[in-house]
Amino acid sequence: MSENKDQKFVYDFTEGNRDLKDLLGGKGANLAEMTNLGLPVPPGFTITTEACKVYLGSGEEPAALRDEVSAHLDALEQRMGKKLGQADNPLLVSVRSGAKFSMPGMMDTVLNIGLSDASVEGLAKQAGDERFAWDSYRRLIQMFGKTVLGVDGELFEDALEAAKHAKKVTVDTDLDAADLKKLVKAFKKTVKTETGRDFPQEPREQMDLAVRAVFDSWNGDRAKLYRRQERIPGDLGTAVNICSMVFGNLGPDSGTGVAFTRDPASGHQGVYGDYLQNAQGEDVVAGIRNTVALAELERIDKKSYDQLMQIMETLETHYKDLCDIEFTIERGQLWMLQTRVGKRTAGAAFRIATQLVDQGLIDEAEALQRVTGAQLAQLMFPRFDENAKVEKIGRGIAASPGAAVGKAVFDSYTAVKWSRSGEKVILIRRETNPDDLDGMIAAEGILTSRGGKTSHAAVVARGMGKTCVCGAEELEVDTKRRRMTVNGTVVEEGDVVSIDGSTGKVYLGEVPVVPSPVVEYFEGRMHAGADDADELVAAVHRIMAYADRVRRLRVRANADNAEDALRARRFGAQGIGLCRTEHMFLGERREMVEKLILADTDEEREEALKALLPLQKKDFVELFEAMDGLPVTVRLLDPPLHEFLPDITELSVRVALAEARKDHNENDLRLLQAVHRLHEQNPMLGLRGVRLGLVIPGLFTMQVRAIAEAAAERKNAKGDPRAEIMIPLVGTVQELEIVREEAEEVIAEVEARTGVELKLALGTMIELPRAALTAGQIAEAAEFFSFGTNDLTQTVWGFSRDDVEASFFTAYLEKGIFGVSPFETIDKDGVGSLVRNAVEAGRATRPDLKLGVCGEHGGDPESVHFFHEVGLDYVSCSPFRIPVARLEAGRAAAQPSGSDSR
Ligand code: ADP
Ligand code: MG
Ligand code: MG
């Protein structure tokens, strides 16, 4: 990152706005936005992410930064009428990290910067409160010592506990000025012994060190882990906010709180939040004292409460979305310290989007951007069976929905260890902190005994889409002995528990699960308009209708039989994009396939094919009937033939044993020879797909005949079959031409015999790099292309999926070689660019070429956006993912170009 001469690295809160998140980070951009809305924000300024990038690249702050900060600090001091850390009348500030996306693992905010042995006296005089000044100073040394100087935080915690213990009090507010003075002394000593230096007394040095520590925290392990999880690029950098202090710890007429403008679990409007009197900063979410519900503030301080309600309304109308906020009241004066568009559960996302449409705040296109396919997928998870016999042992706050079952574990380490060995675990903690992140990722669900809807566990779990019950106060969690006690019941490590993040209920043992109402709705078993339909189903129904109205991509299903096809249709499929025919060769039919493979003479072969034909035909008749009026793409046989034969080792043993008994089995012997003959080093790249059709006479024509006859039968029954015949694994147009000629002959013959005009389309999969590269030629013989992105990914990367996923993908993901497996989300730069070129070349040859995709990527949200963008006609995915694909196709079409879909 090079420095640009007239680059500006510092912005006053009055200079920024919410659109500058890249530059000012989320927190800084929103502080600026609130400032410009005229809300009471303590003045301050933001150091940009660009400054951070320079630091991360060169190891040093940009040369111009120091003077720029000085200039902004001067202006702030003038405005506040006091100087940073000045002995008699000090200005104090907080130093707060803030990247574009909020991220755990970044440096914790340091409050009260500017306090020193000298200015603590000044602060006491200024506030007329000695206790307050010393409390603020001890907080500074504690926070600064831990986060900036890297001193073990427990050393401070322990000293604080000891001080309370000595005085026989339980809460920090019961310590007086003299106690706190002693504590400051102890804290300073700890800093000296742990770091070998004195706690810095120079205010500007405190500030500069804190700023640098924020920059450094960008590359902390936890931040890196989170970025990988959330696919946040590693080079964005963080901004730093310097904000003049306001004090919630000035007595009972002061306090600090957090709030949501709506319930982040249900979306309902109301008063949701927590408040804590005489407290500073994180006290309210740290669970050190009992908070009160925000509604109580009306009684404690009506004026501030009314003002807060009004500000929340202003924010909702302005941001047109649910906001969460942090505020502090200093002696009856309300200050806004943060706002952002708040995290919410998947269900709330759908409900809020439709509520905002009804309120006229957003339109339908915008509503689509407020939900994601991932959220919809989450809503399709099963829930606990309400009628099951259960042993309820407790109840907490429903913090993040879902039904999670697993073995109880009481620390992050065990959670990770057990989950690696395939166990499902529930992480149970008194409360969580950023150190628990690994365990939270590993666990099925999280259960805590303390903290509310805004506690660390709740916020992080919602962000991860993980089930969470928090603040279950009746649980006594004993981490040391690895157990918890609930109303007399003891739950040991390893005991199975079930937690319901939608109700907050906690059960002992495994509770059975039932399908979600959203799935019941898609299945047509619940009607969105019915009186008893729940709010969520109604919201999903409306959003799906918006998506269907605007989307350009059609959505088809990968389905091989009538049952799957019917479900797919209920889920909104507009056809079948991939019917694999290989299952039609398994089970009882395997024997016929063996006969086909073992055939020595043409007669034997024809006999085997003749036996298969009526069975195949029947399959197709059923399928075409289920999908009447909609296209059905049937792929001719694809996998290598040995997959239909017995396992080589098993068969060898069988033959050897028979030999030993002198008991000849002619068939087994021939089979074994065939297995040897067909054995391949690299079956994925061997005799399969179109190659089979070309070397086994009659195989493909039998399949084509079955399709043609089935279609004719359906037409005669007044049906509307729309079959498309798809040839797999084509690498060159010649292969396709040969198969095509043979197929056309068969079709013409069936038409002549039945007197029915069939209009069967013939096309190919594009799943080899050569096919993609010569798509222009291939389109001469193909009426449609279907991109087989699974095989295309394998062949473009040279990956054998089954091998690489198991052996080294974890290492690749950890090293950040790719943020997500290319088998999950299409690799746009590599595989995607082949797709894009093939689309263009194919259409150049044949303008009405029909284009689709039938790899698993067809149901992946990010990939769906890509397929929309390159102009495919449809995506095809497994039946269960169809709603997700419909929604994402709608979101892609409604998305204003260039906008960030995150
Ligand atoms: P986080 O991103 O972890 O929420 P914040 O920067 O918002 O960190 O700060 C942590 C806590 O300190 C919050 O409760 C916030 O409201 C409070 N805080 C931050 N700056 C100030 C300030 N200038 N005056 C008073 N409280 C502050
Ligand atoms: Mg905050
Ligand atoms: Mg394939």
Side-chain angles (χ1 to χ4, degrees):
M1 184 92 245
S2 65
E3 247 176 89
N4 167 345
K5 272 270 162 302
D6 30 51
Q7 201 171 356
K8 179 172 156 64
F9 290 113
V10 185
Y11 285 70
D12 192 87
F13 288 170
T14 53
E15 292 178 296
N17 65 62
R18 69 168 157 175
D19 296 326
L20 295 180
K21 291 199 182 71
D22 285 320
L23 190 63
L24 304 178
K27 197 181 284 171
N30 287 323
L31 280 166
E33 188 78 13
M34 286 201 291
T35 303
N36 295 329
L37 277 174
L39 303 186
V41 177
F45 52 88
T46 302
I47 299 172
T48 65
T49 55
E50 291 298 324
C52 176
K53 285 188 210 169
V54 171
Y55 175 81
L56 293 174
S58 69
E60 274 175 64
E61 288 85 355
L65 185 61
R66 195 176 167 80
D67 287 347
E68 250 190 271
V69 168
S70 298
H72 280 267
L73 187 58
D74 279 350
L76 182 64
E77 289 174 339
Q78 290 227 328
R79 181 157 171 208
M80 306 297 287
K82 35 191 175 182
K83 281 195 170 313
L84 184 70
Q86 176 185 320
D88 53 349
N89 184 25
L91 168 68
L92 304 185
V93 297
S94 60
V95 174
R96 322 166 66 184
S97 67
K100 176 174 184 187
F101 305 109
S102 93
M103 235 186 282
M106 296 295 296
M107 192 190 85
D108 287 343
T109 292
V110 180
L111 304 177
N112 309 331
I113 290 233
L115 274 181
S116 62
D117 295 350
S119 61
V120 66
E121 310 281 359
L123 183 66
K125 267 200 217 98
Q126 196 185 58
D129 185 341
E130 223 191 335
R131 183 201 173 274
F132 153 74
W134 285 95
D135 183 47
S136 302
Y137 195 23
R138 73 94 190 158
R139 286 170 187 267
L140 170 65
I141 303 172
Q142 186 169 358
M143 284 186 266
F144 194 94
K146 181 176 169 201
T147 58
V148 180
L149 302 175
V151 178
D152 180 359
E154 294 219 350
L155 295 173
F156 300 117
E157 293 287 347
D158 291 347
L160 179 61
E161 282 307 312
K164 286 195 278 186
H165 192 74
K167 212 173 174 196
K168 300 203 171 53
V169 298
T170 52
V171 290
D172 60 315
T173 36
D174 287 337
L175 297 175
D176 62 21
D179 303 322
L180 292 163
K181 228 182 245 189
K182 263 189 257 158
L183 204 53
V184 162
K185 207 165 162 197
F187 280 8
K188 283 203 295 190
K189 205 166 139 210
T190 303
V191 168
K192 180 78 194 245
T193 41
E194 292 296 307
T195 66
R197 60 164 292 178
D198 287 317
F199 175 76
Q201 292 291 322
E202 174 56 47
R204 178 66 195 263
E205 189 192 0
Q206 291 175 358
M207 195 174 106
D208 290 342
L209 284 173
V211 169
R212 175 174 280 211
V214 172
F215 288 164
D216 282 329
S217 70
W218 177 259
N219 280 327
D221 289 342
R222 271 203 310 273
K224 284 207 271 193
L225 173 72
Y226 183 82
R227 287 201 292 270
R228 233 180 4 243
Q229 270 246 319
E230 299 294 314
R231 305 189 209 167
I232 296 172
D235 57 3
L236 298 178
T238 179
V240 189
N241 303 290
I242 313 283
C243 182
S244 48
M245 284 300 302
V246 291
F247 300 101
N249 53 338
L250 268 170
D253 59 351
S254 305
T256 178
V258 291
F260 291 96
T261 56
R262 292 166 192 255
D263 183 350
S266 73
H268 291 156
Q269 272 181 305
V271 185
Y272 296 93
D274 302 298
Y275 183 69
L276 188 59
Q277 276 171 281
N278 197 13
Q280 189 173 47
E282 304 281 76
D283 291 358
V284 66
V285 289
I288 55 156
R289 274 183 275 143
N290 280 335
T291 57
V292 299
L294 184 60
E296 292 277 296
L297 181 61
E298 185 167 22
R299 190 177 46 75
I300 298 168
D301 180 349
K302 173 106 169 74
K303 184 177 132 276
S304 297
Y305 177 82
D306 289 344
Q307 190 187 356
L308 184 66
M309 291 301 127
Q310 198 158 23
I311 287 174
M312 294 207 318
E313 204 181 311
T314 306
L315 286 174
E316 262 229 347
T317 327
H318 184 70
Y319 282 85
K320 303 181 173 22
D321 207 344
L322 171 153
C323 295
D324 69 21
I325 59 176
E326 290 174 6
F327 65 94
T328 279
I329 297 175
E330 176 180 320
R331 293 190 168 149
Q333 161 76 49
L334 175 68
W335 293 98
M336 300 301 295
L337 289 168
Q338 189 173 333
T339 193
R340 67 190 156 188
V341 166
K343 297 215 165 99
R344 65 206 67 191
T345 62
F350 280 82
R351 284 188 266 199
I352 292 173
T354 51
Q355 287 162 9
L356 293 172
V357 171
D358 291 340
Q359 282 178 252
L361 284 173
I362 62 174
D363 61 13
E364 295 181 359
E366 180 57 30
L368 280 174
Q369 305 312 318
R370 301 293 179 86
V371 297
T372 66
Q375 286 169 330
L376 181 61
Q378 215 185 312
L379 293 175
M380 293 172 71
F381 288 139
R383 299 182 173 183
F384 285 137
D385 181 358
E386 281 166 19
N387 302 317
K389 245 186 76 173
V390 294
E391 187 180 345
K392 184 181 149 213
I393 52 172
R395 182 170 195 159
I397 296 165
S400 180
V405 181
K407 293 187 169 167
V409 294
F410 296 91
D411 61 85
S412 195
Y413 175 80
T414 315
V416 172
K417 202 172 91 186
W418 287 22
S419 87
R420 286 222 175 111
S421 60
E423 299 276 10
K424 293 195 154 122
V425 300
I426 304 288
L427 179 63
I428 304 174
R429 304 284 288 165
R430 211 164 303 171
E431 57 203 312
T432 61
N433 64 48
D435 293 329
D436 292 313
L437 200 60
D438 288 352
M440 296 175 79
I441 292 168
E444 299 296 306
I446 297 131
L447 171 61
T448 69
S449 59
R450 290 164 79 170
K453 261 195 177 141
T454 47
S455 66
H456 179 266
V459 172
V460 174
R462 274 200 296 276
M464 297 198 291
K466 225 157 240 187
T467 304
C468 176
V469 172
C470 65
E473 284 173 4
E474 42 202 353
L475 313 187
E476 277 170 51
V477 179
D478 187 343
T479 323
K480 290 220 172 77
R481 291 167 70 192
R482 296 161 178 274
R483 52 148 76 169
M484 68 171 173
T485 320
V486 203
N487 306 322
T489 311
V490 179
V491 177
E492 306 274 359
E493 182 177 84
D495 290 350
V496 173
V497 292
S498 302
I499 61 171
D500 188 335
S502 314
T503 63
K505 290 182 189 158
V506 181
Y507 307 96
L508 189 61
E510 182 177 339
V511 180
V513 288
V514 292
S516 86
V518 171
V519 170
E520 294 298 281
Y521 152 70
F522 284 128
E523 284 285 10
R525 291 195 282 262
M526 185 191 273
H527 188 49
D531 287 344
D532 62 342
D534 67 31
E535 232 182 331
L536 173 62
V537 166
V540 168
H541 174 73
R542 281 176 64 186
I543 299 272
M544 293 308 290
Y546 302 160
D548 287 341
R549 209 172 301 148
V550 295
R551 74 188 155 91
R552 187 185 54 67
L553 275 178
R554 307 190 131 241
V555 177
R556 296 197 195 177
N558 295 351
D560 305 345
N561 54 52
E563 191 190 327
D564 281 358
L566 286 170
R567 156 175 271 193
R569 232 183 150 144
R570 290 193 297 274
F571 278 30
Q574 295 161 293
I576 288 180
L578 176 63
C579 163
R580 301 177 180 86
T581 51
E582 33 277 17
H583 83 273
M584 302 173 181
F585 286 66
L586 294 174
E588 290 162 4
R589 305 178 189 177
R590 190 176 223 139
E591 219 173 299
M592 297 177 204
V593 180
E594 281 175 12
K595 281 205 185 113
L596 174 68
I597 297 170
L598 298 181
D600 281 332
T601 62
D602 286 353
E603 289 78 56
E604 276 177 15
R605 187 180 310 111
E606 264 159 37
E607 207 166 306
L609 289 170
K610 222 190 218 153
L612 280 164
L613 177 67
L615 300 171
Q616 285 251 289
K617 180 179 157 189
K618 184 167 164 284
D619 294 329
F620 294 135
V621 169
E622 284 169 11
L623 199 62
F624 296 159
E625 188 175 357
M627 276 285 153
D628 197 62
L630 296 176
V632 175
T633 308
V634 180
R635 179 179 71 185
L636 304 187
L637 196 65
D638 182 37
L641 283 183
H642 72 83
E643 286 195 9
F644 302 98
L645 295 179
D647 176 72
I648 192 164
T649 327
E650 245 170 62
L651 189 60
S652 304
V653 171
R654 196 159 86 207
V655 169
L657 286 176
E659 295 279 297
R661 286 197 307 269
K662 302 246 181 323
D663 163 17
H664 272 333
N665 182 329
E666 193 54 36
N667 201 51
D668 275 0
L669 267 177
R670 282 177 68 198
L671 214 49
L672 186 60
Q673 276 169 2
V675 171
H676 276 294
R677 185 162 32 85
L678 292 171
H679 180 75
E680 292 174 318
Q681 297 296 336
N682 263 316
M684 187 190 91
L685 301 176
L687 179 59
R688 51 172 288 217
V690 68
R691 304 161 193 175
L692 279 178
L694 292 170
V695 302
I696 307 213
L699 175 63
F700 275 13
T701 41
M702 181 277 287
Q703 291 200 288
V704 171
R705 187 180 306 276
I707 295 167
E709 288 183 0
E713 187 174 319
R714 285 296 308 150
K715 280 219 163 150
N716 281 332
K718 301 269 173 296
D720 182 11
R722 311 228 174 137
E724 302 174 334
I725 298 170
M726 179 156 80
I727 320 299
L729 217 75
V730 163
T732 164
V733 68
Q734 282 87 350
E735 291 169 320
L736 187 60
E737 279 167 356
I738 297 174
V739 175
R740 189 183 176 91
E741 257 168 48
E742 290 175 358
E744 277 170 347
E745 260 172 48
V746 173
I747 295 166
E749 189 224 295
V750 174
E751 282 181 326
R753 185 157 43 77
T754 57
V756 177
E757 196 197 350
L758 291 175
K759 289 203 199 125
L760 297 176
L762 272 155
T764 183
M765 293 194 62
I766 301 287
E767 53 186 337
L768 290 175
R770 194 181 189 286
L773 292 167
T774 59
Q777 291 170 5
I778 290 182
E780 285 168 12
E783 286 151 69
F784 63 87
F785 285 173
S786 176
F787 291 93
T789 49
N790 296 345
D791 266 317
L792 195 57
T793 301
Q794 295 205 86
T795 49
V796 165
W797 283 84
F799 282 161
S800 150
R801 179 171 187 176
D802 293 341
D803 296 320
V804 297
E805 284 191 333
S807 66
F808 63 83
F809 256 34
T810 331
Y812 263 43
L813 290 164
E814 258 161 30
K815 290 186 195 306
I817 293 169
F818 27 70
V820 57
S821 158
F823 292 107
E824 234 172 85
T825 295
I826 190 150
D827 149 38
K828 291 180 206 149
D829 297 339
V831 178
S833 106
L834 276 182
V835 170
R836 194 189 292 270
N837 291 336
V839 165
E840 277 166 26
R843 282 220 172 106
T845 301
R846 190 189 283 263
D848 64 346
L849 185 71
K850 207 195 273 183
L851 296 159
V853 61
C854 62
E856 271 160 61
H857 299 102
D860 168 67
E862 212 177 309
S863 309
V864 170
H865 284 247
F866 176 78
F867 298 133
H868 168 85
E869 190 200 311
V870 299
L872 298 194
D873 298 305
Y874 69 87
V875 295
S876 188
C877 57
S878 66
F880 214 70
R881 292 173 102 177
I882 286 170
V884 171
R886 281 164 58 200
L887 178 63
E888 290 293 352
R891 296 186 64 224
Q895 188 165 319
S897 59
S899 88
D900 194 331
S901 66
R902 188 186 294 275

